């Protein structure tokens, strides 16, 4: 006898999702102590956190692949929140890193296109969070560049221009935004300590990002219940009575 027949299967259990879309800072976020891993831990049994980070990618490439990650379908399957976290590669200097560099006006256009695409597949603006690139520690990043046989290919001032553009897009499109570039440098903080190599996040930087992102995510997931009953609440004689309901416990 099939397992489902034996158990008397209930309806399929809908498991909400949060989608993290970005470059290497998102891809690496599931490492130990990473901001994505912290988010997944915080939301366990309430929703899945999907890592769709692509190391080295910019918004030109991100705009192309986004429709392969989310398509129009059952609205109940749509993410309850989406982070869009690009700019660290777009802001690379054109002369030193032409492959990753994206002109500022195109960066703006690409971000807007992604927000508009999400809206077209029933992920409205109020579910979207844009994240600016973090500040760049030029001294540390230059060492990384020299080890790879190239010159310094990013400048913090330029990264700041892309961060400001990201803020404008969020304002124009009506999304939430996390201004990481400004927050990490606020009140003369030692922002290089938030970075592992001048560009990517250190453990302290991951913790900083998570602490500022969580309040924005929490607003979007606060109504989600814990999925399936607490173990002490499962009916001992007939567990299926507890386990084949709607899962809202």
């Amino acid at each position: 006898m099939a397992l489902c027949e034996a158990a008397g299967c209930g309806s399929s259990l809908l498991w909400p999702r949060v989608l993290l879309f970005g470059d290497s800072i998102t891809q690496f976020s599931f490492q130990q102590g990473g901001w994505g891993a912290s988010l997944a831990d915080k939301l366990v049994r309430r929703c899945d956190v999907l890592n769709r980070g692509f190391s080295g990618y910019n918004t030109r490439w991100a705009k192309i692949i986004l429709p392969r990650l989310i398509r129009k379908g059952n609205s109940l399957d749509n993410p309850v929140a989406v982070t869009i976290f690009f700019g660290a590669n777009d802001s690379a200097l054109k002369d030193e890193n032409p492959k990753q560099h994206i002109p500022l006006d195109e960066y703006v256009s690409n971000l807007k296109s992604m927000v508009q695409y999400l809206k077209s597949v029933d992920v409205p603006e109020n579910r979207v969070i844009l994240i600016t690139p973090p500040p760049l520690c030029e001294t540390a990043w230059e060492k990384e560049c020299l080890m790879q046989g190239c010159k310094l290919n990013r400048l913090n001032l330029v990264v700041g221009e892309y961060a400001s553009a990201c803020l404008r897009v969020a304002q124009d499109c009506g999304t939430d935004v996390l201004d990481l570039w400004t927050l990490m440098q606020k009140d003369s903080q030692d922002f290089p300590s938030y970075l592992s190599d001048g560009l990517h996040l250190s453990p302290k930087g991951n913790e900083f990002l998570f602490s500022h992102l969580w309040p924005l995510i929490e607003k979007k997931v606060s109504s989600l219940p814990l999925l399936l009953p607490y173990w002490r609440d499962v009916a001992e004689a007939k567990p299926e009575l507890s386990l084949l309901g709607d899962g809202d416990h």
Side-chain angles (χ1 to χ4, degrees), residues 96-225:
E96 300 299 335
N97 189 350
K99 184 165 185 174
Q100 291 181 305
H101 168 79
I102 299 296
L104 191 60
D105 58 348
E106 185 189 341
Y107 172 71
V108 168
S109 175
N110 291 339
L111 285 178
K112 287 184 176 180
S113 291
M114 288 189 275
V115 174
Q116 288 160 4
Y117 172 76
L118 289 172
K119 185 177 180 180
S120 77
V121 295
D122 301 324
V123 182
E125 301 94 325
N126 63 5
R127 295 188 188 181
V128 178
I129 302 169
L130 299 184
I131 305 176
T132 76
L136 179 83
C137 177
E138 295 168 13
T139 305
W141 185 244
E142 185 172 27
K143 291 178 182 176
E144 294 290 321
C145 292
L146 291 173
M147 284 193 292
Q148 296 171 25
C150 58
K151 297 178 183 178
L152 178 65
N153 56 21
R154 289 163 171 81
L155 294 173
N156 191 38
L157 188 65
V158 175
V159 177
E161 294 173 0
Y162 284 73
S164 295
C166 182
L167 292 176
R168 292 196 300 274
V169 171
Q171 186 173 19
D172 291 346
C173 294
T175 70
D176 282 337
V177 64
L178 176 56
D179 185 2
L180 204 55
W181 190 84
T182 298
L183 284 170
M184 283 186 165
Q185 298 179 91
K186 191 176 180 182
D187 301 325
S188 302
Q189 291 181 81
D190 177 27
F191 80 84
S193 66
Y194 294 130
L195 307 168
S196 62
D197 56 7
L199 174 65
H200 302 97
L201 299 181
S202 66
K204 184 178 177 182
N206 275 284
E207 186 179 347
F208 183 94
L209 171 50
F210 172 73
S211 69
H212 286 83
L213 178 61
W214 173 245
L216 299 177
I217 294 284
E218 188 176 28
K219 288 190 303 181
K220 304 178 192 313
V221 302
S222 59
S223 63
L224 297 179

Side-chain angles (χ1 to χ4, degrees), residues 73-79 122 127:
N74 185 339
S75 62
L76 294 174
D77 290 334
N78 289 344
D122 301 324
R127 295 188 188 181

